[in-house]
């Protein structure tokens, strides 16, 4: 597989080719996902729960993300890698620049930050330095205490309008991609159509430019209750490789997510 670039991903949006993305945290799985044709991997702060055994993403440190980014890059040399900036690692511009440098040096193509209007000046500074940035709005796990738990966002008209405004502001400030998490399908469609950058959904319906799932949810190995928007692709396949290929196929052909995986 040739190296995936942000230009290609933007072309895919224009050509309505869906993007199938997944999280990964180590060499072995990232190599497997890359060999199966996954174009985008997120080294997410979800590793706090899936790898470290915490109950949230909040304990994850920048050093953890850097470590796992290096491992994933070795396994997926040509895949487009996005790495999270974890909780309180970008509370101001100086801190964001310092920690972004660590992550990019570790092998990421792009960094991801959760939040809306308060991030605008930080995003502008990073964009001015030609850093690729992925925004993340809707349900933002780093703020789950403030949001009152893991709940669907944007159901009310005022909240929906706020998310649309934030998406437009983030794009104007310089983000190159946006993740929408746990928002109504109609709202996700409106935001996707309003932006020129790729919009990736998780729990936000099938009308975004692509989908992302935590690998443990996709493979049915998550401990405890899994979110309603996830699907166990391994239960319908006889190998991990076939499960990943099925996921890619269903995303590209708008089979997944179905109505039962959407809000």
């Amino acid at each position: 597989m040739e190296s995936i670039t942000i230009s290609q991903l933007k072309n895919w949006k224009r050509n309505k080719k869906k993007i199938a993305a997944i999280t990964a945290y180590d060499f072995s799985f990232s190599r497997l996902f890359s060999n199966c044709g996954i174009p985008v991997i997120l080294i997410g702060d979800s590793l706090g729960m899936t790898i470290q055994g915490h109950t949230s993403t909040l304990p994850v440190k920048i050093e953890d993300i850097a470590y796992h980014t290096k491992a994933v890059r070795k396994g997926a040399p040509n895949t487009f890698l996005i790495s999270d900036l974890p909780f309180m690692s970008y509370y101001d511009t100086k801190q964001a620049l310092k920690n972004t440098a660590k992550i990019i040096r570790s092998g990421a193509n792009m960094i991801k930050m959760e939040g809306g209007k308060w991030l605008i000046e930080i995003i502008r500074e990073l964009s001015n330095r030609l850093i690729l940035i992925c925004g993340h709005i809707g349900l933002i796990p780093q703020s789950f205490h403030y949001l009152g738990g893991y709940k669907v966002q944007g159901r009310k008209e005022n909240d929906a309008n706020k998310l649309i405004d934030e998406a437009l502001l983030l794009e104007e400030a310089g983000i190159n991609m946006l993740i929408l998490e746990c928002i109504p399908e109609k709202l996700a469609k409106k935001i996707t159509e309003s932006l020129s950058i790729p919009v990736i959904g998780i729990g936000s319906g099938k009308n975004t430019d692509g989908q992302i799932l935590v690998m443990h949810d996709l493979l049915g190995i998550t401990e405890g209750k899994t979110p309603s928007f996830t699907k166990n692709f391994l239960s319908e396949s006889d190998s991990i490789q076939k499960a990943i290929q099925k996921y890619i196929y269903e995303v590209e052909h708008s089979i997944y997510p179905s109505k039962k995986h959407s809000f």
Side-chain angles (χ1 to χ4, degrees):
M1 181 173 69
E2 293 184 358
S3 294
I4 303 294
T5 66
I6 190 61
S7 296
Q8 284 176 282
L9 297 175
K10 288 180 177 178
N11 282 334
W12 288 5
K13 178 185 176 80
R14 285 190 288 270
N15 296 327
K16 301 189 183 303
K17 175 179 169 65
K18 298 282 189 174
I19 302 164
I22 192 171
T23 67
Y25 316 98
D26 66 13
F27 168 82
S28 297
F29 275 108
S30 61
R31 180 172 62 177
L32 185 153
F33 297 156
S34 176
N35 288 342
C36 288
I38 288 283
V40 176
I41 289 176
L42 169 67
I43 299 89
D45 56 7
S46 51
L47 68 86
M49 294 175 285
T50 60
I51 304 298
Q52 297 176 336
H54 300 299
T55 58
S56 75
T57 65
L58 302 185
V60 177
K61 299 177 181 178
I62 195 71
E63 291 78 14
D64 299 326
I65 298 291
Y67 172 86
H68 288 280
T69 299
K70 290 175 183 177
V72 170
R73 176 52 79 197
K74 288 179 181 177
N78 298 315
T79 305
F80 191 85
L81 299 191
I82 307 170
S83 292
D84 267 326
L85 290 186
F87 178 65
M88 290 301 287
S89 66
Y90 51 101
Y91 57 82
D92 63 20
T93 301
K94 183 178 179 180
Q95 190 77 351
L97 289 168
K98 176 184 175 183
N99 287 322
T100 293
K102 289 181 182 178
I103 298 306
I104 298 298
R105 289 187 184 119
S106 297
N109 299 99
M110 173 181 276
I111 55 95
K112 181 172 78 67
M113 297 186 289
E114 298 179 7
K117 292 181 180 179
W118 73 270
L119 277 176
I120 296 301
E121 292 307 316
I122 294 174
I123 288 169
R124 286 195 175 119
E125 287 298 321
L126 290 173
S127 181
N128 286 341
R129 289 162 173 81
L130 306 182
I131 300 296
L132 293 178
I133 307 156
C134 180
H136 184 158
I137 60 174
L139 172 58
I140 46 178
Q142 291 176 19
S143 302
F144 81 99
H145 287 307
Y146 179 83
L147 297 173
Y150 298 105
K151 300 177 181 179
V152 178
Q153 304 295 305
R155 288 193 188 274
K156 297 179 180 178
E157 185 178 357
N158 285 345
D159 295 333
N161 289 335
K162 179 182 176 182
L163 286 171
I164 293 169
D165 290 343
E166 284 186 335
L168 292 169
L169 283 170
L170 290 170
E171 182 180 37
E172 187 276 331
I175 65 168
N176 311 93
M177 187 182 290
L178 180 65
I179 288 179
L180 300 177
E181 182 165 358
C182 288
I183 69 171
E185 185 174 25
K186 289 183 179 179
L187 175 59
K189 183 176 188 290
K190 187 170 184 178
I191 291 174
T192 301
E193 292 174 347
S194 299
L195 303 185
S196 63
I197 58 175
V199 178
I200 309 298
I202 177 168
S204 299
K206 67 179 182 180
N207 295 306
T208 52
D209 300 310
Q211 301 294 322
I212 187 165
L213 281 177
V214 172
M215 57 167 281
H216 295 68
D217 293 340
L218 188 155
L219 298 175
I221 56 175
T222 299
E223 287 289 324
K225 185 180 179 181
T226 56
S228 62
F229 56 78
T230 65
K231 179 178 177 179
N232 179 354
F233 285 86
L234 188 56
S235 68
E236 302 175 354
S237 310
D238 58 14
S239 71
I240 292 175
Q241 289 87 342
K242 288 183 180 178
I244 299 303
Q245 289 163 358
K246 181 175 177 60
Y247 168 62
I248 295 171
Y249 179 87
E250 291 200 4
V251 170
E252 290 183 346
H253 291 82
S254 297
I255 299 169
Y256 174 82
S258 65
K259 285 292 182 184
K260 72 177 183 179
H261 303 114
S262 307
F263 302 106

